[in-house]
Amino acid sequence: MRFISTIGVEQPFYWHKSLMVNESNSTHSSVCEVDHPQSTSPSQSTRPPVPKTARSKKRHPQYPLSIMGGSSAPDYAYYLFLMVNITLFLRPAELIPSLENLPIYEVLIVSSFLFSLDQIKRTLQVPMLKRQPITFCVIGLLAAVALSHASHMYFYGIHTSTFAFLKTLIYYLLLVSIIDSPQRLKGLLKTVAIAASIMILFCVVDYSGVFDFEFIKHVSDRDGVSDAGEDLRVFRMRGTGIFQDPNDLSVLIVTTGILCLYFFNDPTAGSLRFFWIVSLIVLGVGLLYTRSRGGLLTLGIASMAFVLPKYGKKAAITCALVGLAGLTVLAGRQGNIDLNSGTGHDRILLWREGLSALKSPDLFFGIGQGLYSDLAGLAAHNSFVHAFTELGIFGGTLFIGCFFFAGLGLYRLARFQNSCQGKPIFRNQELERYLPYAGAVLAAWCGGMMSLSRCYVVPTYMIVGVSAAYLNLAGASLAKPTPVIYWNKQHLVRLIGVSFALLIALFIFVRIFAH
């Protein structure tokens, strides 16, 4: 069966029986309307009274919460997964040294995985993967990692790299399998926002000299050369665990700030929401302490993505320019962005090394996952260049697909929302409210990856997974439940086109600025 999606894209429609009923019930309703209970006075009705049970059943059809359908993972699997995310930011072994040898993260994620096996098996079914192109791309990356070494007959690399990325894939599968309701999505976002804010607070306190945390070590970086020929140094704030790069930490700060703003604007939170202001202040101070130019650019990109759906292109560009101009005055080093010298130009030279390696038989499957540093001396400091170089056209396209499909889905929902001129497009108000924040989070992380190599780490697939989970919930919450995006030939062609366009743009950019 084929039908016209509510977001204007004709798609194959493989659906559960319950959704087929929902489609027939909403056939005569406007696509911009959702089912809400409505009262009708007796004088307005000329039909015989309908029994209460039948009337309730008609007015309140049982819609699934996610396009995944089926039963939800147990609550204890969900809570274990929340604890997994807490340990990503607040590492127990750093806070309590006596726990250093305990595999806390591994035990939590394996336990959550075992309790969610039924939901994960459903996620991996082919019909489900077609509804989730993002998941299809993430799973494909596992094959790309293996093939990047198999093409060179490097069997040790196949074993180590595949196993390492498999752990990241398990995290992603847990997220999209367990987060199957708006309540669970909001709980995950709140857990991440609180845990990340606490970790950043520790870093700010340590950097300011208020208290010395032994597990936090900041860094003194080279920042150019003085007129006398001496190296200039700048002291920069680092995070903990996997966020020890100041630039990486700055992207996390911007992303966390978007989530804090989302909870601060929650109308159901009452007076407690003002506590999020404290977090926003800490994050703002932390962003300045990182001295990260990439963090400043990430903030500008996130601001544009947040304003664009509601107020249009002119307002988005104005907001970004005003914000960047103000922060440039306050930020000092961060406002000095120069692509012709300094660290900015050094990174472009690293990009050139990687892109040059593609002009070889390694074009299709790459030089091998984890080998960029052997080629150029350092990581690429650009996730997209890094993925293309190490995984080739095959893996690089799949990596871009994770973000392309996420962005495409959010764009379609935002465009559909605008076409409805203020009318709700979702039955769930929280999904409606989160839409602009979802776009800003995704844009912030993509902007940050332009100056960071974060192709395989868990936080990247946390952002991708949250986007995928949100699109699953959003598709089921539309007036006519349907996948927002779908894996088909048309989307595959678009993905390949976007991938090659980005690769060509990177080649042109490097050709202009690398000297």
Side-chain angles (χ1 to χ4, degrees), residues 82-271:
L82 294 185
M83 294 176 66
V84 168
N85 286 274
I86 291 173
T87 59
L88 285 174
F89 301 98
L90 302 173
R91 300 166 70 90
E94 294 178 340
L95 297 173
I96 307 174
S98 60
L99 301 177
E100 183 177 1
N101 296 323
L102 296 179
I104 298 175
Y105 176 85
E106 290 78 5
V107 170
L108 290 173
I109 198 168
V110 169
S111 301
S112 182
F113 182 85
L114 293 176
F115 287 131
S116 310
L117 274 178
D118 290 341
Q119 288 71 32
I120 291 173
K121 290 178 182 177
R122 185 172 67 242
T123 300
L124 295 176
Q125 294 174 357
V126 173
M128 293 296 178
L129 291 176
K130 288 183 177 180
R131 299 177 196 171
Q132 300 182 101
I134 301 172
T135 302
F136 190 91
C137 289
V138 177
I139 295 174
L141 278 172
L142 182 66
V145 168
L147 288 171
S148 70
H149 291 301
S151 61
H152 298 281
M153 304 298 289
Y154 182 36
F155 298 106
Y156 178 76
I158 296 174
H159 169 71
T160 56
S161 295
T162 304
F163 182 74
F165 188 75
L166 180 61
K167 294 190 289 186
T168 300
L169 177 60
I170 289 174
Y171 173 90
Y172 172 86
L173 291 175
L174 276 173
L175 197 159
V176 296
S177 300
I178 292 176
I179 306 302
D180 58 357
S181 70
Q183 293 75 20
R184 287 187 172 185
L185 176 63
K186 190 173 183 181
L188 173 63
L189 296 176
K190 185 172 291 187
T191 299
V192 170
I194 292 174
S197 295
I198 293 174
M199 185 267 281
I200 294 164
L201 174 62
F202 288 161
C203 297
V204 169
V205 169
D206 185 89
Y207 184 90
S208 302
V210 176
F211 188 86
D212 183 19
F213 294 101
E214 293 184 2
F215 57 90
I216 301 177
K217 304 296 181 183
H218 305 290
V219 62
S220 176
D221 277 349
R222 180 178 177 274
D223 189 36
V225 181
S226 67
D227 295 337
E230 299 178 350
D231 286 345
L232 299 176
R233 312 294 298 184
V234 59
F235 191 56
R236 306 176 65 190
M237 188 179 80
R238 297 170 64 183
T240 65
I242 56 178
F243 297 100
Q244 294 193 19
D245 185 325
N247 299 310
D248 197 8
L249 181 63
S250 70
V251 176
L252 175 66
I253 289 173
V254 174
T255 305
T256 305
I258 297 168
L259 295 181
C260 291
L261 186 62
Y262 165 66
F263 288 110
F264 172 71
N265 289 326
D266 187 356
T268 65
S271 58

Side-chain angles (χ1 to χ4, degrees), residues 337-372:
I337 300 175
D338 186 2
L339 298 180
N340 293 310
S341 62
T343 58
H345 185 255
D346 291 342
R347 292 185 180 187
I348 296 176
L349 295 180
L350 290 172
W351 302 0
R352 182 179 64 183
E353 294 294 327
L355 293 175
S356 297
L358 291 176
K359 303 174 183 178
S360 70
D362 296 327
L363 174 64
F364 197 68
F365 291 117
I367 64 173
Q369 191 274 332
L371 299 180
Y372 200 104

Side-chain angles (χ1 to χ4, degrees), residues 475-489:
S477 189
L478 291 168
K480 294 181 179 179
T482 178
V484 180
I485 47 177
Y486 201 89
W487 183 269
N488 55 21
K489 182 178 179 180

Side-chain angles (χ1 to χ4, degrees), residues 296-483:
L296 189 65
L297 289 173
T298 298
L299 180 61
I301 292 171
S303 301
M304 290 184 65
F306 183 79
V307 173
L308 180 62
K310 280 192 173 184
Y311 304 105
K313 297 179 181 178
K314 292 182 179 180
I317 295 173
T318 302
C319 176
L321 291 176
V322 171
L324 288 175
L327 284 174
T328 297
V329 176
L330 297 174
R333 173 190 186 270
Q334 287 171 275
N336 182 20
I337 300 175
D338 186 2
L339 298 180
N340 293 310
S341 62
T343 58
H345 185 255
D346 291 342
R347 292 185 180 187
I348 296 176
L349 295 180
L350 290 172
W351 302 0
R352 182 179 64 183
E353 294 294 327
L355 293 175
S356 297
L358 291 176
K359 303 174 183 178
S360 70
D362 296 327
L363 174 64
F364 197 68
F365 291 117
I367 64 173
Q369 191 274 332
L371 299 180
Y372 200 104
S373 297
D374 294 343
L375 171 72
L378 292 170
H381 289 80
N382 182 307
S383 295
F384 303 105
V385 172
H386 203 107
F388 273 124
T389 303
E390 290 192 346
L391 307 180
I393 297 293
F394 177 68
T397 298
L398 288 172
F399 181 73
I400 290 173
C402 298
F403 302 93
F404 166 72
F405 286 120
L408 178 62
L410 294 175
Y411 168 75
R412 285 179 173 174
L413 290 174
R415 187 180 64 177
F416 180 46
Q417 190 179 56
N418 288 336
S419 68
C420 289
Q421 299 178 348
K423 296 180 181 179
I425 64 172
F426 300 126
R427 289 186 303 278
N428 185 280
Q429 294 181 355
E430 203 59 37
L431 294 177
E432 191 97 31
R433 194 173 72 84
Y434 182 64
L435 180 55
Y437 299 92
V441 166
L442 183 67
W445 205 264
C446 288
M449 288 195 304
M450 290 299 295
S451 58
L452 291 166
S453 290
R454 293 295 179 267
C455 309
Y456 317 110
V457 297
V458 167
T460 294
Y461 294 91
M462 176 194 295
I463 301 299
V464 172
V466 166
S467 299
Y470 176 75
L471 292 177
N472 290 344
L473 299 172
S477 189
L478 291 168
K480 294 181 179 179
T482 178

